[in-house]
Amino acid sequence: MAQQNDSEVTDDTSSATGRDALVLLRQLLERGRATHKLTKTQLVARTGLGKTTVIQAFSMSAPAPSAITVARLADCLRLNRDYLLELHARITAIEPSPAYVITEGAEAARTPHPDGTSSRESSTGIGDAQTDEAAARIASQVLADETDHASRLLGPGGHRIDLAFQCAPEPANNAAGAQERGNLRDAQAFYLALRPGRLVITGEPGAGKTLLAIHLVLALLSDRTRSRTDPVPVRFSLAGWSPELPLQRWLAEQVADRFVAEGISRRRAVALIERRRILPVLDGLDEMDAADTPLARSRAYQLLEELNSYQDARGSAPIVLTCRTELYERLAQRQVRVRDAARVRIEAVSVVDAVSYLTDRTADPRRWQPVLRHLAGSEPGALADVLNTPWRLNLAATVYEQRDAELAYRRDPSDLLAFTSAKEAGEHLLGLYLPAASALHPTAPDRYPVEATRRWLGVLAGGPTAGSTAGAPKAGTDLYLHELWQLMPRRVRITEMLLVLLWVVILSVWVQLAKPPGSDVWGGASSEPARRAS
């Protein structure tokens, strides 16, 4: 009902720009609020928006609300979210919307197809200029997000380890144009030479798979100014994909939800995915299932099947995928792999690169000289096995660069020389990482003690995640907030249940006591049909 009313406000909203579009947007929001008889206070509670934000969204004298505010209000008021976001785009003069003229066939034009598009959109599509503009806004946000993510992965200074990788051809169905070897510096050139542009990045745990994927995203985005029609690389975490949702639909929903602040509606997201204007960079195939999940029932296997059906007009559509070597090779041995792709395997960090990284990363390289000399020696031993991945190198630098309140270093890097096995040294670094990382963000140092945080993380690691049945260990890596109550001790859960029951009893008694004597207000409605029937 509300969605139909949206179209009745004006016969031609395409001419509504700037102030007119803002007035129309607020009229539609006000109409939805009146239809559902909701106060602004109720909208605050239901949308999670701030009180001032909601009030200003309805005020004709206030600035235009943000796209996120419009989307949340539209969902709460059951209005046409895509249409309101198109109005919002016209208000901000970012995205001129196609004509939204209502004709006799308007209702048919709004009838959704199974893929989420409308019949009008399927026949006419969205103008290239508008799609280019939407892609440009997404590219700008991805560039900011991934630059920030890379800085967190690399640590202070942003020193990159020049990861080396080797091509690992499959018996068949390889992408053309792959070089035998490559490194971080030329990852973009390596990828752009592939035909089709399908790349699988494999490596050991901590080898730098995500780092290489992020570097490729940033390199492709930095070159995108040459052609606005190039697809925008967007990284997606595969932990959230469900086999019940087709890959294309999931990608479109992810784009719409993630870039709502950039004015990307669900209809626009569907168009971007369908036109292959988004290059999916799918991170973490190995994080989708528990280690003991049978391959045939694994989400990883089903995802690979989806990827082999992901096509464009020229055949297999471009994608980038990351996965641990062990899992991908287990699947490949069963002839389950990404078809028409080049697979690369990240190599261990060389001693030379490890020494160079630690020298550049640390504030005082002299403290590290015993370690650096040992690494560069003829028999680096277990230490070289520990410091041969970007993750463990960053771990060591973080742990041994930690300082106290007087800025004195807490630990001496030469302690690493005492370990005789890579496993022992790795566990040592991992045990010290949490307090060192916590010290880097001392917003409230006394509020979350390190030991308490360690216990909480341990409980979460062993608690409910995606894909489990009741009473069994979970088979995935996702945490569901509504299931976290199961982590509490049994006595705590029983106490909470009793408290809830007590509140129900108290409310029931209060309702009975509040009933006016002799009034038919409470019982009249239910007794009236009985009297009529008699």
Side-chain angles (χ1 to χ4, degrees):
M1 182 69 180
Q3 291 188 7
Q4 293 174 358
N5 288 342
D6 294 353
S7 63
E8 297 168 2
V9 176
T10 180
D11 289 335
D12 186 2
T13 62
S14 63
S15 62
T17 58
R19 181 67 182 175
D20 292 339
L22 180 56
V23 171
L24 178 56
L25 173 66
R26 283 182 167 134
Q27 287 175 346
L28 294 174
L29 291 174
E30 189 59 52
R31 175 179 292 185
R33 190 172 74 87
T35 299
H36 295 286
K37 300 178 180 178
L38 293 174
T39 66
K40 293 186 178 73
T41 302
Q42 289 172 320
L43 284 177
V44 169
R46 296 190 182 194
T47 62
L49 297 169
K51 184 176 181 181
T52 302
T53 300
V54 171
I55 292 173
Q56 289 185 347
F58 289 88
S59 173
M60 290 295 181
S61 60
S66 69
I68 292 179
T69 299
V70 171
R72 290 189 183 179
L73 288 172
D75 291 344
C76 180
L77 298 173
R78 299 181 184 177
L79 298 172
N80 189 320
R81 184 190 196 199
D82 290 351
Y83 176 49
L84 293 188
L85 285 174
E86 287 175 4
L87 271 180
H88 181 272
R90 282 198 289 272
I91 293 166
T92 55
I94 294 176
E95 178 183 351
S97 176
Y100 207 89
V101 182
I102 304 305
T103 64
E104 286 183 334
E107 212 50 49
R110 289 186 177 192
T111 302
H113 285 260
D115 61 2
T117 63
S118 66
S119 46
R120 173 174 294 176
E121 183 178 331
S122 299
S123 60
T124 63
I126 297 176
D128 286 343
Q130 297 154 16
T131 306
D132 290 347
E133 190 63 41
R137 295 201 305 277
I138 291 176
S140 177
Q141 187 58 48
V142 171
L143 182 62
D145 291 344
E146 294 295 26
T147 300
D148 180 63
H149 196 92
S151 69
R152 292 198 301 271
L153 282 178
L154 296 169
H159 302 288
R160 284 176 168 80
I161 302 169
D162 191 19
L163 298 175
F165 53 83
Q166 184 173 6
C167 192
E170 304 293 353
N173 312 119
N174 293 289
Q179 300 295 316
E180 290 186 6
R181 299 181 63 82
N183 53 39
L184 198 68
R185 289 194 307 270
D186 59 17
Q188 179 188 9
F190 182 96
Y191 174 75
L192 292 177
L194 301 179
R195 295 291 180 271
R198 292 164 76 85
L199 175 65
V200 179
I201 300 170
T202 62
E204 300 304 315
K209 300 180 291 296
T210 297
L211 183 62
L212 178 56
I214 291 175
H215 178 83
L216 180 59
V217 167
L218 293 174
L220 292 172
L221 287 174
S222 64
D223 244 13
R224 198 176 175 276
T225 53
R226 300 178 185 177
S227 175
R228 289 169 58 86
T229 60
D230 287 346
V232 179
V234 179
R235 192 164 56 91
F236 303 90
S237 172
L238 284 174
W241 178 73
S242 169
E244 286 76 31
L245 202 59
L247 178 64
Q248 287 200 169
R249 182 178 169 189
W250 179 75
L251 290 173
E253 289 188 1
Q254 292 288 307
V255 169
D257 291 342
R258 179 171 167 183
F259 301 107
V260 64
E262 283 66 49
I264 305 301
S265 65
R266 293 198 180 276
R267 189 179 70 162
R268 183 75 62 191
V270 168
L272 287 164
I273 295 298
E274 286 184 343
R275 295 181 178 197
R276 304 299 185 252
R277 299 299 303 276
I278 300 293
L279 168 62
V281 179
L282 306 170
D283 197 9
L285 184 75
D286 52 285
E287 297 173 357
M288 301 178 73
D289 304 285
D292 58 352
T293 302
L295 290 180
R297 294 209 303 267
S298 67
R299 290 194 294 163
Y301 162 68
Q302 296 174 75
L303 189 278
L304 291 181
E305 293 293 292
E306 286 265 352
L307 289 179
N308 289 329
S309 300
Y310 187 64
Q311 308 286 318
D312 60 17
R314 292 169 292 185
S316 297
I319 57 99
V320 176
L321 175 72
T322 74
C323 182
R324 289 186 181 182
T325 301
E326 186 273 333
L327 173 63
Y328 196 83
E329 290 186 346
R330 269 205 301 140
L331 288 162
Q333 288 171 3
R334 301 292 187 270
Q335 289 73 51
V336 179
R337 57 182 180 270
V338 180
R339 303 295 183 93
D340 302 321
R343 177 166 82 92
V344 299
R345 184 170 52 242
I346 298 177
E347 298 177 344
V349 176
S350 69
V351 168
V352 173
D353 286 336
V355 169
S356 176
Y357 173 80
L358 290 173
T359 302
D360 293 339
R361 167 74 189 273
T362 57
D364 182 8
R366 292 173 300 178
R367 299 177 55 248
W368 288 79
Q369 283 307 307
V371 172
L372 299 181
R373 283 196 298 269
H374 187 82
L375 277 176
S378 58
E379 296 182 3
L383 190 58
D385 294 335
V386 173
L387 303 179
N388 66 355
T389 69
W391 182 70
R392 288 198 292 267
L393 280 166
N394 181 47
L395 202 67
T398 301
V399 165
Y400 286 102
E401 289 294 292
Q402 184 186 1
R403 305 194 191 200
D404 60 20
E406 297 299 323
L407 298 182
Y409 290 101
R410 287 184 176 274
R411 302 175 187 88
D412 184 351
S414 60
D415 292 346
L416 285 169
L417 301 176
F419 297 100
T420 58
S421 72
K423 181 180 179 182
E424 186 183 6
E427 290 175 351
H428 165 75
L429 288 174
L430 199 57
L432 294 175
Y433 179 73
L434 187 58
S438 300
L440 292 176
H441 307 282
T443 305
D446 298 326
R447 185 175 180 184
Y448 301 112
V450 171
E451 286 307 314
T453 304
R454 196 190 307 276
R455 288 196 302 272
W456 297 333
L457 292 175
V459 170
L460 289 175
T465 52
S468 76
T469 56
K474 294 284 186 174
T477 57
D478 294 343
L479 289 174
Y480 286 113
L481 295 180
H482 67 276
E483 293 183 350
L484 293 184
W485 66 275
Q486 300 176 41
L487 301 179
M488 298 180 185
R490 186 169 179 268
R491 57 183 176 78
V492 175
R493 282 182 275 157
I494 293 174
T495 302
E496 288 190 343
M497 190 177 300
L498 292 174
L499 287 173
V500 170
L501 291 174
L502 178 61
W503 272 109
V504 170
V505 172
I506 291 173
L507 288 174
S508 300
V509 172
W510 179 82
V511 168
Q512 292 298 320
L513 293 175
K515 181 167 63 175
S519 173
D520 292 333
V521 172
W522 300 89
S526 59
S527 60
E528 184 64 22
R531 289 198 299 269
R532 288 179 180 176
S534 62

